[in-house]
Amino acid sequence: LFLDFVCLTDVNAEVGQATLEGFQKTYGKDNAIFSRCNVVNEADFTGVFESIKSKYGKVDILVNNAGIIEEKNWRRTIDVNLVGMMQGTYLGIENMSKEHGGDGGVIINVASSAGLQPVFFSPAYCASKFGIIGFTRSWADNPSNAHNGLRFCCLCPAFTETNMMNISENSTLSIEATKKFIEYVGVNKISTVAEGFMDLLTDETNNGAVMAVTAREGIQYKIRK
Ligand SMILES: NC(=O)c1ccc[n+]([C@@H]2O[C@H](COP(=O)([O-])OP(=O)(O)OC[C@H]3O[C@@H](n4cnc5c(N)ncnc54)[C@H](O)[C@@H]3O)[C@@H](O)[C@H]2O)c1
């Protein structure tokens, strides 16, 4: 796989800028940009596509990855995880589809193992991730994909060693009980999730695929046509 250019986005400009510097050091100054975007803000999201198109001309890979887990702020969890991902997907279709002058491509939506099974201590997060899978699979089944050149996939990691594992703020359970549950399930290495992601990205025959990544069972296609 050869990527010409990458546009990184995040609501947190500090993190985005630092990540951009890392990318530019490795891949060259002209090969990456950062565009700040709050995924719940339609104008921000439209601006990202505009800045990509003015610099690179087109988009052929879109990854909707932004996510939060805030059970006490459950509306926001739905807004960021589900509505933000839907907004990104609609803009992706508008900009990438052959019907609209694009070259087609792939849209990967990051769900979670919480999109495949209930999680009693984070019901709102779970609802948002079930929603992502239903929405993505519905688009994957759309007959127009045959001529618009698009494919749609879901990546569903279980617990993974990122900032999201700061459980003190996130769970409706006590910290101790949540830690025990996490210990029981196990924690993915980021490199394993990245390996699964690359597989989803490069396999052009996998429209509609839902891939799980767990510490116990590794990378597994849960749905694959
Ligand atoms: N880490 C895990 O255990 C785990 C497990 C399953 C799924 N996931 C999913 O993986 C994805 C990535 O999460 P992560 O583990 O890297 O966590 P993370 O907290 O490290 O990264 C999430 C990123 O999303 C950004 N973000 C939050 N709200 C945003 C908004 N409104 N607009 C734009 N960006 C926003 C944050 O600034 C942060 O950089 C999420 O969708 C998450 O639900 C994570």
Side-chain angles (χ1 to χ4, degrees), residues 207-224:
N207 181 39
V210 176
M211 174 188 278
V213 184
T214 60
R216 287 191 189 178
E217 291 172 321
I219 299 165
Q220 280 184 324
Y221 276 98
K222 289 290 175 190
I223 293 165
R224 166 129 220 198

Side-chain angles (χ1 to χ4, degrees), residues 22-156:
F23 268 64
Q24 288 181 328
K25 235 182 226 163
T26 312
Y27 303 108
K29 211 164 171 36
D30 291 334
N31 295 335
I33 55 168
F34 169 70
S35 178
R36 188 196 164 276
C37 168
N38 181 348
V39 295
V40 301
N41 182 320
E42 189 177 347
D44 274 12
F45 228 144
T46 307
V48 171
F49 279 90
E50 273 163 12
S51 56
I52 299 170
K53 284 174 97 172
S54 69
K55 192 155 165 69
Y56 305 150
K58 68 179 178 107
V59 179
D60 47 18
I61 298 170
L62 167 64
V63 184
N64 287 304
N65 180 55
I68 58 170
I69 177 165
E70 292 179 15
E71 290 302 318
K72 286 179 188 135
N73 203 350
W74 57 267
R75 280 184 202 276
R76 184 155 177 81
T77 294
I78 297 292
D79 273 349
V80 173
N81 296 5
L82 182 57
V83 181
M85 180 278 315
M86 289 170 68
Q87 178 68 79
T89 302
Y90 282 120
L91 285 169
I93 293 167
E94 217 175 288
N95 284 277
M96 295 159 67
S97 167
K98 287 182 182 171
E99 271 177 329
H100 301 124
D103 287 346
V106 57
I107 298 180
I108 297 183
N109 290 328
V110 179
S112 165
S113 51
L116 296 165
Q117 64 205 40
V119 182
F120 73 95
F121 55 82
S122 50
Y125 181 75
C126 208
S128 71
K129 297 300 186 177
F130 265 74
I132 291 177
I133 294 176
F135 179 82
T136 309
R137 290 185 62 199
S138 299
W139 269 109
D141 278 357
N142 193 311
S144 67
N145 294 326
H147 57 266
N148 70 18
L150 292 174
R151 90 188 138 93
F152 300 82
C153 300
C154 274
L155 179 64
C156 300

Side-chain angles (χ1 to χ4, degrees), residues 152-208:
F152 300 82
C153 300
C154 274
L155 179 64
C156 300
F159 296 117
T160 305
E161 49 187 15
T162 70
N163 288 343
M164 193 166 271
M165 297 286 292
N166 178 10
I167 48 162
S168 55
E169 297 161 11
N170 298 333
S171 180
T172 56
L173 263 187
S174 73
I175 295 179
E176 204 147 292
T178 310
K179 274 189 180 158
K180 270 196 186 145
F181 183 79
I182 292 171
E183 226 175 82
Y184 170 74
V185 173
V187 179
N188 284 317
K189 287 190 178 324
I190 292 173
S191 57
T192 315
V193 179
E195 196 188 318
F197 171 80
M198 287 309 291
D199 200 279
L200 270 184
L201 185 65
T202 51
D203 182 348
E204 291 183 1
T205 66
N206 69 7
N207 181 39

